[in-house]
Amino acid sequence: MVGENENEIISGQNKAVTLASTTRVSDLASMLGVDPVELIKQLMRLGHMITLNDPLEYEIASKICTAYGIDVTSVSDQQSIDSGESSSTKGDLDLSQGAVERPPVVTVLGHVDHGKTTLLDSIRNTKKVDGEAGGITQHIGAYQVEYQDKSITFIDTPGHEAFTEMRARGAQLTDIAILVVAADDGLMPQTLEAISHIKAAGTPLIVAINKIDIPTADSDKVKRQLSENELLVEDWGGDVISVNISALKSEGIDDLLENILLVAEINELKTNPELSGTGVVIEAKVDKAMGNIVSVIVQSGFLRVSDYIESKNSKGKIRALLDENGKRVGKAGISMPVEILGLDNLPQPGDLIEVKPDSKNHKKKSSINSNVNTQSGITSTQAGNLLLQKNREDLVFLNLIIKTDVIGTIEAITKSVTAFDSESAKVNIVHAAVGTISPSDVSLALTTESVICGFNATTEAAARTLAKTSDVEIKNYNVIYNFLEFVEERLGKSKKAEFVDVIEGQAKVQEVFNVSKGRTVAGFVVTDGVISRGADIHVIRNNEEIFVGPISSLKHYKDDVKQVRAGTEGGMVVEGFSEIEQGDVLESHKLVEAQS
Ligand code: GTP
Ligand code: MG
């Protein structure tokens, strides 16, 4: 049980962590190896109303670490622009065994017309390895290049405000900032603004002195102006890296890229690939044909097609992932820019997207590599999974946030709900306090998937609005009896809503027919099990899932059919997917209610 003060949260672990100026609550929880909900509760007890994705100031985070008996070192000094000698950065936040190097994420900033876009184009056109550069239109506001066998991710300049906004939201997306200054123009108002933003973010900096091909270019003047702004470049005895370039003539680009890799190496940008998948939103838009398209840069782990993901205001299953060239991919790894299809709302730039267990839909996924048993339609692996899931998921949780008018009610409720605890059910009071139902209660409920129950407690107007937009339930009671009825009903309901995702069959695409209006019919033969109407089709190419969508048409020869069985040929259209190829595997999934 949790104590009343921070000294009681010591767990006796003995390790050290390195903290940046801010750390997300979820990151801190994984660093400490504690339940994030438990950590949120601890923070609330210390007076910090905070949600899982909020950034924690160094002082607070280090206090928590100390209380857990963990030594803390700061990287904020080492990260400062002036230092140049840093040996450790935010990459260390993810450090644990198995950490691997990750590509740096680079943002280009500078005054209008100083050559930011030309520089990005030049890098993209000269350093793309896939031969696709030049002719193709860039798809996402970010791309990766390969240089000296290493990847570097560039984000198109998002404007200074967006840069800082993202930072304010706790999204430490940029590892290295490139400050572009035109050598014929010198430091201009937006250059100074950019310097302030970079300094505030504590991001390592490289100055690219551009347009050196112009006769009136004066890079010494730029260096002098930089020194007047506390940025002393290396050849003036300081530690700020500066590179002379001509973005237009593609000169000095290698020098710049080498320095980017050098700064990345000094800062030991690392990640643990075992971490669960997260990404930071860089832009979001609605496309008439494809629906919501959200561009993200992967921050940890992997995002995979058919993963269930959530952000602050959106959720959904990943229906498809598109790389920077609009090509479908099965998964996206660390620092990779990728577009996600399948979210129900448009998140804001800077929002965090997280892979979550699909608990809200009570939907579980079975292995995609199983061999289908044609007799039962359920594989032995799936049957095993089913049992395992039931054992593990048998416990139905109901998380509650309780707000009351008097303290006595809290005690009565806490006692009464323990009566529901059994081998198959657990009621968990995430937070209980006297007072009104506030927006921070709603944030906490959203983070912890709780229902808010008020007892003679008023709901603040802002909380009501937030609850509505974020789909958080608020219940109001006058008598405990009605509340207990609700708990009973909810525990029962949750049990009934248990579904498992079962593979019912597999087919191989033999031929592809392009029919009217961009519709593609896949001619297939069922290799295992059965393909039936109403199923979700998972398109697998080279062992990677690249799309998930329903069947919009299923035929055997010319006839519409309900099912196509093993050994039989058929034709289908997968809704929203017209890029089917010969050799693709079509896996048919259905949700089946688990028997209790
Ligand atoms: P905004 O997006 O408007 O802030 O500008 P920007 O910083 O992206 O500048 P952009 O790349 O659009 O370049 C502005 C102008 O400068 C264009 O006409 C470029 O061709 C020119 N330019 C960029 N780099 C160079 C360079 O190295 N040499 C010369 N001579 N011209 C350059
Ligand atoms: Mg531009």
Side-chain angles (χ1 to χ4, degrees):
M1 224 21 224
V2 178
E4 282 301 308
N5 64 53
E6 63 195 88
N7 293 328
E8 290 178 53
I9 58 177
I10 294 173
S11 72
Q13 293 175 54
N14 187 20
K15 55 179 185 175
V17 294
T18 309
L19 294 176
S21 55
T22 60
T23 308
R24 277 193 315 133
V25 176
S26 55
D27 287 339
L28 187 63
S30 67
M31 287 159 78
L32 297 174
V34 300
D35 183 353
V37 176
E38 207 53 44
L39 187 58
I40 287 175
K41 285 202 276 181
Q42 294 294 351
L43 285 159
M44 292 178 79
R45 279 166 205 279
L46 295 174
H48 305 289
M49 305 303 278
I50 210 150
T51 68
L52 200 62
N53 295 329
D54 285 340
L56 275 180
E57 297 294 326
Y58 174 82
E59 280 71 22
I60 303 167
S62 64
K63 215 166 158 186
I64 293 283
C65 291
T66 311
Y68 273 88
I70 290 172
D71 293 334
V72 179
T73 47
S74 157
V75 297
S76 53
D77 295 339
Q78 294 154 323
Q79 270 189 319
S80 89
I81 310 162
D82 298 331
S83 136
E85 289 183 12
S86 58
S87 60
S88 176
T89 74
K90 70 184 184 187
D92 284 355
L93 290 179
D94 298 330
L95 266 187
S96 54
Q97 275 148 15
V100 295
E101 211 176 294
R102 66 176 174 83
V105 178
V106 180
T107 303
V108 180
L109 299 163
H111 191 71
V112 62
D113 276 354
H114 276 200
K116 302 177 291 291
T117 305
T118 311
L119 172 61
L120 285 162
D121 286 349
S122 169
I123 293 172
R124 184 172 164 83
N125 290 332
T126 54
K127 303 300 171 198
K128 284 300 285 184
V129 282
D130 55 13
E132 290 182 274
I136 52 149
T137 322
Q138 193 183 322
H139 207 68
I140 311 177
Y143 60 79
Q144 275 191 327
V145 297
E146 297 285 322
Y147 189 69
Q148 295 179 347
D149 295 330
K150 300 208 163 149
S151 298
I152 306 170
T153 303
F154 285 92
I155 306 181
D156 274 7
T157 176
H160 305 165
E161 270 167 36
F163 178 81
T164 297
E165 224 171 76
M166 283 198 184
R167 168 82 194 170
R169 286 162 191 261
Q172 300 188 31
L173 191 56
T174 304
D175 298 308
I176 300 166
I178 306 289
L179 180 71
V180 176
V181 186
D184 62 333
D185 210 13
L187 266 65
M188 298 303 279
Q190 276 179 283
T191 320
L192 299 176
E193 195 184 290
I195 291 172
S196 306
H197 284 276
I198 295 166
K199 278 186 178 173
T203 313
L205 163 83
I206 297 173
V207 181
I209 302 178
N210 191 27
K211 306 198 185 184
I212 49 151
D213 58 292
I214 294 178
T216 54
D218 185 353
S219 60
D220 275 343
K221 183 179 135 197
V222 174
K223 289 174 187 173
R224 196 193 68 239
Q225 289 176 325
L226 286 168
S227 73
E228 286 161 8
N229 287 278
E230 295 158 22
L231 294 175
L232 205 56
V233 297
E234 280 176 331
D235 35 323
W236 281 41
D239 44 27
V240 173
I241 299 170
S242 83
V243 184
N244 283 355
I245 62 162
S246 165
L248 194 68
K249 298 194 181 311
S250 292
E251 283 168 25
I253 304 296
D254 286 80
D255 198 6
L256 179 63
L257 295 175
E258 264 161 38
N259 276 294
I260 289 172
L261 291 181
L262 182 74
V263 173
E265 201 178 310
I266 290 168
N267 286 285
E268 291 177 16
L269 304 177
K270 294 224 167 110
T271 185
N272 187 334
E274 301 293 316
L275 291 172
S276 68
T278 62
V280 173
V281 176
I282 50 173
E283 59 193 29
K285 60 183 183 225
V286 186
D287 179 273
K288 263 191 198 155
M290 295 200 275
N292 293 339
I293 303 184
V294 179
S295 306
V296 305
I297 305 256
V298 179
Q299 279 235 299
S300 67
F302 288 93
L303 300 181
R304 293 185 173 85
V305 171
S306 83
D307 274 351
Y308 176 75
I309 50 169
E310 283 183 5
S311 79
K312 221 183 306 176
N313 70 337
S314 66
K315 58 186 185 312
K317 193 161 133 174
I318 300 181
R319 293 185 64 214
L321 290 169
L322 309 177
D323 72 7
E324 62 194 74
N325 302 318
K327 209 174 117 213
R328 286 175 199 272
V329 289
K331 64 175 189 224
I334 190 75
S335 299
M336 183 170 161
V338 72
E339 281 186 334
I340 300 174
L341 268 58
L343 278 170
D344 61 352
N345 270 317
L346 290 181
Q348 298 281 318
D351 280 359
L352 194 81
I353 300 263
E354 289 179 291
V355 175
K356 292 265 166 97
D358 197 352
S359 57
K360 274 199 176 153
N361 299 338
H362 302 280
K363 198 189 281 185
K364 288 146 230 110
K365 194 176 179 305
S366 55
S367 160
I368 65 159
N369 294 321
S370 321
N371 289 318
V372 179
N373 173 337
T374 49
Q375 300 296 307
S376 65
I378 295 182
T379 67
S380 52
T381 325
Q382 287 160 17
N385 280 351
L386 197 77
L387 271 177
L388 204 74
Q389 283 157 357
K390 276 182 68 186
N391 287 341
R392 206 180 43 207
E393 301 284 333
D394 226 13
L395 200 59
V396 177
F397 274 98
L398 176 61
N399 289 343
L400 298 172
I401 291 172
I402 310 287
K403 295 305 281 275
T404 66
D405 54 345
V406 288
I407 190 92
T409 317
I410 294 180
E411 284 163 26
I413 288 166
T414 314
K415 259 191 201 154
S416 65
V417 294
T418 55
F420 290 97
D421 283 353
S422 68
E423 278 187 359
S424 61
K426 171 123 188 64
V427 181
N428 187 21
I429 297 184
V430 173
H431 173 60
V434 173
T436 57
I437 298 169
S438 67
S440 72
D441 291 323
V442 179
S443 303
L444 184 63
L446 187 65
T447 314
T448 57
E449 291 181 15
S450 302
V451 178
I452 302 174
C453 294
F455 291 83
N456 299 318
T458 46
T459 305
E460 291 173 26
R464 202 172 297 124
T465 315
L466 187 62
K468 220 171 183 178
T469 52
S470 49
D471 241 2
V472 166
E473 263 184 283
I474 300 181
K475 300 262 174 197
N476 287 296
Y477 298 98
N478 299 318
V479 282
I480 288 189
Y481 176 76
N482 291 345
F483 161 72
L484 296 178
E485 256 188 1
F486 156 76
V487 174
E488 195 169 17
E489 181 207 86
R490 196 47 69 90
L491 292 177
K493 255 193 192 162
S494 306
K495 261 187 192 162
K496 273 187 227 138
E498 291 266 312
F499 284 92
V500 284
D501 183 16
V502 166
I503 305 173
E504 56 162 24
Q506 263 187 353
K508 193 156 192 158
V509 178
Q510 294 183 305
E511 251 180 297
V512 175
F513 309 95
N514 289 315
V515 291
S516 59
K517 286 182 264 162
R519 264 162 61 100
T520 306
V521 177
F524 63 85
V525 60
V526 181
T527 49
D528 260 319
V530 59
I531 307 279
S532 57
R533 233 168 236 280
D536 265 341
I537 295 297
H538 292 227
V539 182
I540 297 162
R541 188 175 296 163
N542 303 326
N543 291 323
E544 278 195 1
E545 219 171 38
I546 55 164
F547 187 79
V548 179
I551 298 174
S552 65
S553 157
L554 185 67
K555 285 184 192 275
H556 177 59
Y557 294 110
K558 295 244 176 276
D559 303 327
D560 284 321
V561 288
K562 279 194 181 147
Q563 282 194 332
V564 183
R565 298 199 157 270
T568 315
E569 292 182 348
M572 78 161 80
V573 175
V574 181
E575 202 175 300
F577 190 66
S578 57
E579 295 126 62
I580 229 141
E581 286 179 9
Q582 196 182 357
D584 284 351
V585 172
L586 306 172
E587 201 168 66
S588 176
H589 286 233
K590 272 206 165 159
L591 280 184
V592 176
E593 200 168 317
Q595 305 299 311
S596 40

